[in-house]
Amino acid sequence: MPETPLHGSFNDERGSSSEWGPILAFIVLVNAVGWWACLLLRPTFAAGHLWAFFTFVFVTVWSPTVIALALSFSFEGTSGIRNLLGLLFRRFPKNKLWYLIGILIPVATVVCAVIIARHLHSGAAFLPVAALPLTLGLQVFTGAMGEELGWRGFLLSHLERKLSPRVAALVMAITWALWHIPAFFFPGMAQQHMPPIAFLLIVAAFGIFLALLFNHTRGHLVSTMLAHFSFNMSLAAGGAILGSVFIWTLAFIFSIVAIFSLAKLPASPIRVARTGEVFDPLGTDI
């Protein structure tokens, strides 16, 4: 199996893979944007200006992509941007099993949690058919597309050059979960109706699952985007109250998925060679 970088950027020849600069810069900047947007736009939305709510959502969810592209250019110029975008515009492998897993697992976890919640008298109305087109559009152009290039494409791939895939997944997942905290302080966000610890546990567990997909599809971000979309869309479909029963049930189920995902990730660091070839640490077989 070739020991080559995931997408050929930040290699040891340039010296950037031996530094934590890009990693720390990304984490600081995405959190700064999130808190800045929350503090700046919260009073405006509270005063009745709906545009402030949508601005907060789109600024925060797209900031990881914008910051990842900016840092890639800052550290490696146009080649860094090409390498990063290459994770998105990559050919599909013949074996597409992991893409299917990425779609089905999030849907299955949400469906199970909804069934349990409704059994425990915490059911709610499902999404009306008339609202489906708008919901689909919002889910595609928010988290599913806005976050993956930054969190998985940039941060996770850089962490895997410093840490083992297992530890890198944990660091990325926890950091990604904590990045969602400003949403608890912005009125109108769904997080205000959820137990914070359970929600953060869901995000971290889901992040670990996304790391597994990222590695098993040779860093193809389409796999994580599909999983992210299927998870968010399943939640948006409704069927259960976004309260303690449903959220804690979902946290428990996805924690099991995360444990399995961690077990499937290598516990030893992967040596990064000085080459531009694509790295395939895990292959595409289960």
Side-chain angles (χ1 to χ4, degrees):
M1 186 174 294
E3 293 179 330
T4 55
L6 198 56
H7 56 84
S9 64
F10 295 88
N11 58 57
D12 286 334
E13 285 185 329
R14 295 184 179 228
S16 53
S17 70
S18 61
E19 300 172 0
W20 285 91
I23 295 172
L24 295 177
F26 178 83
I27 294 173
V28 169
L29 288 173
V30 292
N31 281 282
V33 170
W35 283 106
W36 171 82
C38 179
L39 295 175
L40 182 66
L41 296 170
R42 187 176 185 275
T44 305
F45 177 63
H49 300 283
L50 185 60
W51 63 265
F53 174 83
F54 290 104
T55 302
F56 170 75
V57 172
F58 281 94
V59 166
T60 52
V61 299
W62 278 96
S63 62
T65 289
V66 175
I67 291 170
L69 290 170
L71 290 177
S72 295
F73 180 78
S74 176
F75 282 92
E76 285 208 66
T78 56
S79 63
I81 294 180
R82 286 197 303 270
N83 289 328
L84 184 60
L85 292 177
L87 295 174
L88 178 59
F89 302 104
R90 177 167 292 173
R91 291 182 180 180
F92 284 86
K94 293 181 180 179
N95 186 350
K96 298 179 177 62
L97 180 59
W98 281 99
Y99 297 85
L100 183 61
I101 291 174
I103 295 173
L104 295 181
I105 292 295
V107 174
T109 57
V110 174
V111 168
C112 289
V114 168
I115 292 174
I116 294 173
R118 294 177 73 88
H119 180 72
L120 297 176
H121 309 292
S122 292
F126 287 98
L127 181 72
V129 176
L132 186 59
L134 177 60
T135 304
L136 283 170
L138 287 174
Q139 296 305 329
V140 168
F141 292 105
T142 51
M145 289 186 63
E147 298 179 28
E148 291 306 312
L149 197 69
W151 289 104
R152 260 59 66 181
F154 187 88
L155 182 61
L156 181 59
S157 61
H158 280 77
L159 286 170
E160 289 190 357
R161 286 155 176 73
K162 302 293 298 180
L163 308 166
S164 71
R166 186 176 297 176
V167 176
L170 281 169
V171 173
M172 177 276 297
I174 294 172
T175 307
W176 185 42
L178 295 177
W179 172 72
H180 286 78
I181 290 179
F184 287 97
F185 298 93
F186 202 92
M189 295 296 292
Q191 284 83 349
Q192 294 196 330
H193 305 287
M194 306 178 188
I197 299 300
F199 174 80
L200 296 178
L201 182 58
I202 291 171
V203 177
F206 185 48
I208 293 171
F209 174 69
L210 292 177
L212 180 70
L213 291 178
F214 183 76
N215 280 271
H216 275 284
T217 58
R218 302 175 64 194
H220 195 189
L221 287 177
V222 170
S223 66
T224 64
M225 286 182 174
L226 288 173
H228 201 150
F229 170 76
S230 65
F231 186 46
N232 286 357
M233 193 62 206
S234 298
L235 291 174
I241 300 173
L242 295 178
S244 296
V245 174
F246 174 70
I247 297 302
W248 275 111
T249 301
L250 191 59
F252 175 76
I253 297 173
F254 238 117
S255 294
I256 297 175
V257 174
I259 292 172
F260 172 81
S261 299
L262 283 176
K264 297 290 291 183
L265 288 168
S268 301
I270 299 170
R271 183 172 66 85
V272 178
R274 293 176 175 86
T275 175
E277 297 176 9
V278 175
F279 173 54
D280 184 10
L282 301 178
T284 54
D285 296 327
I286 296 179

